[in-house]
Amino acid sequence: MSHPSLSPPLAGRSPILPGATLGVLGGGQLGAMFASAARRMGYRVEAVVDHADCPAARHCDRVHVGLLDDPARLVALGGRFAAVTYEFENVPVVAARALNAVVPVRPGPEVLFTTQDRGREKAFLVAHAIPCAPHGMVRSRDDLLAAVARTGLPAVLKTCTAGYDGKGQRRIDSPADVDAAWESLGPAELVLEGWIPFASELSVVAARGLQGEICTWEPSLNHHRHHILDCSLAPSGLPEATVRAARRMAERVLEALDVVGVACVELFVTSDGGLLVNEIAPRPHNSGHLTIEAAVTSQFEQQVRAVCGLPLGSPRLRSPAAMVNLLGDCWELGEPDWNAALAVAGVSLHLYGKSAPRPGRKMGHLTAVADSLAAAEAAARAARRALARGAVG
Ligand code: AMP
């Protein structure tokens, strides 16, 4: 049963139990996997989406198309839900704030406000003494020159909003690159970051409940290709002290942001074992997909638990796991050979139901579990290679 008449403060005190209707803003694969976990637990789920033909539509009880930019209609819809969460950070904050006045939005709108803008996110990290890359805010070419003087080169210029998977970024290697970078991204709100010669990239997915209780999953070691996540491995194999420090840093971020829900903290690990926060995502994360097969509680089940004010489940990994993404590129030679991939022991397939396999588009992923991390990684990579070998053109 849903609780349309509960005011947010009352709803905030009592857990939202199976049978209630949850709203999710966004219709991508993260919304689909949230909805799938929530429906397995007995909730109804309705998504607010841009297009009816989206990954979440197949897993929800209902979708509402085209309301994300319309706070008044979103608020009118709010009474249908016992709580609302989101699966991407570019939800308009005005809409999230208006909705939060009628139904709890978790994580709260102010979390969105901070994390959807790289400049605000950096200011938040600095204010809480959480280490991040040296940086400078850029609104003009003169700002850019001043920021370069501050960070040194190489550096990377990024748009503050709407950038993902390396979009909206330009590397600056020498003073001769400054004008081209400004012309390609400016004028806009930008941030220049010093280039970090990191030894590895780590991410920590963490959940925080209504009473402030926090749990973190085993951090994943991440490999990117062309700025897009390619492979995540857990456990990371990094020294225990680094892993402990990474988990603690993620806890500090979730506490300081007052997150209720799931969030991911992406980190650079420097050669001396130092940690710098690269980015915060206030939602489940691609690098946490392996928790579906490998952890006692997946990041999506935990999102349901946290958003509903239920006890958090154990994040313990049952076994080492590797996840590789399946981009549209896998379709280059024709329909991938699913049969060959699934013949590899320990491999699970997730396809998001997107119709157009464009290069660079995340179409699905493979997760392999095994007794050792090396075996899991080998299985996931072998399965992905097998897709292309037998592709049906
Ligand atoms: P982002 O969209 O900011 O997460 O950047 C995507 C990827 O680009 C990161 O995962 C890194 O591999 C790389 N990258 C971004 N910023 C930096 C930086 N300041 N120093 C080194 N590598 C970076």
Side-chain angles (χ1 to χ4, degrees):
M1 212 182 84
S2 64
H3 302 281
S5 59
L6 286 185
S7 67
L10 185 55
R13 277 201 294 273
S14 42
I16 297 162
L17 298 174
T21 301
L22 306 176
V24 57
L25 307 180
Q29 60 268 19
L30 299 177
M33 290 185 265
F34 166 78
S36 165
R39 296 224 304 178
R40 174 174 57 73
M41 295 166 75
Y43 293 90
R44 281 179 54 82
V45 182
E46 300 187 6
V48 181
V49 303
D50 281 338
H51 304 286
D53 177 24
C54 63
R58 301 190 308 158
H59 298 271
C60 287
D61 294 278
R62 189 167 166 185
V63 291
H64 304 271
V65 183
L67 304 184
L68 275 177
D69 291 317
D70 189 338
R73 286 176 67 206
L74 205 53
V75 167
L77 198 67
R80 300 177 64 81
F81 308 130
V84 171
T85 189
Y86 40 88
E87 61 107 45
F88 73 126
E89 50 272 42
N90 289 320
V91 172
V93 173
V94 191
R97 284 185 181 137
L99 194 56
N100 194 47
V102 292
V103 56
V105 174
R106 294 175 179 155
E110 301 322 304
V111 180
L112 272 177
F113 179 73
T114 303
T115 57
Q116 69 183 203
D117 180 297
R118 288 185 197 273
R120 284 200 288 266
E121 188 171 280
K122 288 272 191 295
F124 157 81
L125 292 168
V126 169
H128 289 86
I130 297 170
C132 60
H135 60 277
M137 300 309 300
V138 175
R139 290 201 180 88
S140 66
R141 191 176 167 282
D142 283 350
D143 287 350
L144 179 54
L145 292 171
V148 167
R150 183 167 168 191
T151 64
L153 294 178
V156 54
L157 187 62
K158 302 181 177 180
T159 54
C160 281
T161 56
Y164 64 96
D165 289 344
K167 294 189 177 68
Q169 299 193 12
R170 278 296 288 259
R171 200 174 128 122
I172 301 179
D173 286 303
S174 76
D177 301 334
V178 166
D179 282 336
W182 173 249
E183 271 152 36
S184 80
L185 298 181
E189 299 259 333
L190 305 167
V191 59
L192 183 78
E193 288 178 22
W195 189 259
I196 305 299
F198 55 77
S200 49
E201 290 189 83
L202 202 60
S203 59
V204 188
V205 182
R208 186 164 174 272
L210 259 186
Q211 317 302 330
E213 69 279 24
I214 294 192
C215 70
T216 57
W217 280 266
E218 188 67 44
S220 300
L221 186 70
N222 299 324
H223 298 291
H224 292 79
R225 286 191 70 196
H226 308 301
H227 296 279
I228 303 175
L229 183 66
D230 181 55
C231 172
S232 290
L233 307 171
S236 64
L238 294 182
E240 192 43 45
T242 307
V243 168
R244 241 197 331 271
R247 291 181 113 150
R248 181 65 200 126
M249 201 172 279
E251 287 172 4
R252 282 174 62 200
V253 168
L254 268 72
E255 264 158 18
L257 278 173
D258 195 18
V259 167
V260 173
V262 168
C264 176
V265 179
E266 293 180 61
L267 301 162
F268 296 133
V269 186
T270 56
S271 50
D272 59 357
L275 297 171
L276 300 171
V277 172
N278 171 33
E279 239 183 354
I280 305 165
R283 50 162 173 80
H285 192 259
N286 196 167
S287 62
H289 289 354
L290 53 76
T291 61
I292 295 175
E293 283 83 9
V296 174
T297 310
S298 78
Q299 60 172 351
F300 298 104
E301 173 173 341
Q302 202 79 301
Q303 186 182 17
V304 178
R305 288 171 176 249
V307 163
C308 291
L310 292 166
L312 298 182
S314 163
R316 188 176 63 77
L317 274 194
R318 295 180 206 271
S319 72
M323 187 267 346
V324 292
N325 270 331
L326 301 178
L327 303 183
D329 311 59
C330 294
W331 275 251
E332 202 176 277
L333 303 175
E335 186 65 20
D337 186 349
W338 306 118
N339 193 55
L342 290 169
V344 180
V347 166
S348 300
L349 170 66
H350 297 252
L351 283 178
Y352 308 146
K354 298 179 184 176
S355 48
R358 289 190 293 276
R361 189 176 196 205
K362 290 177 182 168
M363 302 295 290
H365 69 269
L366 296 168
T367 300
V369 292
D371 292 339
S372 72
L373 186 61
E377 181 176 6
R381 291 191 184 279
R384 188 168 61 179
R385 278 194 307 274
L387 288 178
R389 270 202 304 275
V392 187

